[in-house]
Amino acid sequence: MRLLVVGASGFLGAQVCRQAVGAGWSVVGTHHSGRVEVPGVETRRLDVTDRAAVRELVARVRPEAVVGTPYRYGDWAVTADGAAHVAYAAAEAGARLVHVSSDAVHAGRPEPYADDEPPSPIFPYGAAKAAAETAVRVLDPGAALVRTSLIVGEGSKQIQLCHDALAGRASLFTDELRCPIDVTDLAAAVLELLRTDYAGPLNVAGPDAVSRAELGLLVAAHAGIDPAGMKTTTGAAAGVLRPAEVRLDSTRAAGLLGTRLRGVRELLTR
Ligand SMILES: NC(=O)c1ccc[n+]([C@@H]2O[C@H](COP(=O)([O-])OP(=O)(O)OC[C@H]3O[C@@H](n4cnc5c(N)ncnc54)[C@H](OP(=O)(O)O)[C@@H]3O)[C@@H](O)[C@H]2O)c1
């Protein structure tokens, strides 16, 4: 399999590359301001906001499959337009596309979200990810859209935030619930999906819904850190507009894929 990973310098993209190289695939990975650190990957610099450059690269690489991960918080051109450019080029090349989306497309509510629920974004990042989904679905109707949640594991920004809060350098929200997933499980699920013809949105997240503060406590217990100094707050007190409770129901993915999507309580068991 010849695979193009757009955003191979990112946390998830690098893990997708690592597993694909390990499986013997021929992997080309892109970076923009960072670097691709995975041995065995042919690297290319790419700015996804440049539609012509995306088309040119995909035409040159001639991948059988493409994984699209790029986003930049607060940057519509990267997150929404960039995803559209990747989908356009993948469809043009006849390559199978897995586009990585987010639980941020939802407004938040106590009940879990099913796979096919339409986006209901309430903040700019969620709106950009929702726009990306719509563009991808129009330009490449056969593409799979992986809606995922907090990505944890070694090197995760989410876990670093917990350590910062435990050290009193940041605060964790007690009222923001998500379904964290390990980066290795997510990458394996993405690679599996590439070999299917699944089209449309698919929730790929862990089965445990926890608040960011609960995640901090799990991280503390796992690392043997006293959580007494952990700083917490609420989204309302911090004045942020973000979805509060977003639970992704990943039952469909669990049935479709061989990859087991582990919950964060299992992942962070001592
Ligand atoms: N992290 C989470 O907890 C989380 C939760 C839900 C959904 N997601 C989704 O999962 C995906 C991967 O997240 P991640 O945490 O792996 O992200 P990440 O580590 O921040 O990586 C983002 C990637 O986007 C690339 N990028 C940024 N601007 C670009 C541009 N103009 N042109 C080309 N590439 C550009 C970056 O390249 P350079 O670094 O080289 O500039 C990097 O490879 C994203 O689509 C995100 O929305 C993430």
Side-chain angles (χ1 to χ4, degrees), residues 105-133:
V105 300
H106 296 304
R109 67 180 188 206
E111 302 77 32
Y113 285 93
D115 305 83
D116 301 314
E117 295 198 39
S120 50
I122 60 165
F123 71 138
Y125 170 62
K129 293 297 287 187
E133 283 195 357

Side-chain angles (χ1 to χ4, degrees), residues 133-226:
E133 283 195 357
T134 298
V136 171
R137 295 182 79 172
V138 169
L139 295 166
D140 191 352
L145 282 67
V146 167
R147 287 180 177 163
T148 194
S149 188
L150 299 185
I151 308 176
V152 299
E154 206 182 318
S156 158
K157 286 178 283 195
Q158 310 297 349
I159 298 296
Q160 185 55 50
L161 180 65
C162 293
H163 282 288
D164 289 346
L166 286 161
R169 293 188 297 266
S171 295
L172 297 174
F173 296 148
T174 53
D175 56 351
E176 196 174 280
L177 262 76
R178 299 290 185 268
C179 295
I181 181 163
D182 189 78
V183 66
T184 60
D185 294 351
L186 180 56
V190 165
L191 291 181
E192 254 200 282
L193 263 177
L194 286 173
R195 292 182 299 249
T196 72
D197 58 2
Y198 185 91
L202 182 71
N203 293 339
V204 183
D208 299 334
V210 293
S211 72
R212 286 183 179 268
E214 285 170 307
L215 182 61
L217 293 176
L218 288 168
V219 168
H222 186 67
I225 299 170
D226 179 357

Side-chain angles (χ1 to χ4, degrees), residues 6-14 30-36 46-49 68-72 75 77-79 99-104 125 129 146-152 156-158 183 186 212:
V6 185
S9 48
F11 184 49
L12 174 62
T30 77
H31 57 103
H32 180 239
S33 57
R35 287 191 3 211
V36 182
L46 178 69
D47 182 350
V48 289
T49 66
T69 73
Y71 87 105
R72 192 78 81 200
D75 191 330
V78 173
T79 309
H99 162 78
V100 181
S101 188
S102 172
D103 55 6
Y125 170 62
K129 293 297 287 187
V146 167
R147 287 180 177 163
T148 194
S149 188
L150 299 185
I151 308 176
V152 299
S156 158
K157 286 178 283 195
Q158 310 297 349
V183 66
L186 180 56
R212 286 183 179 268

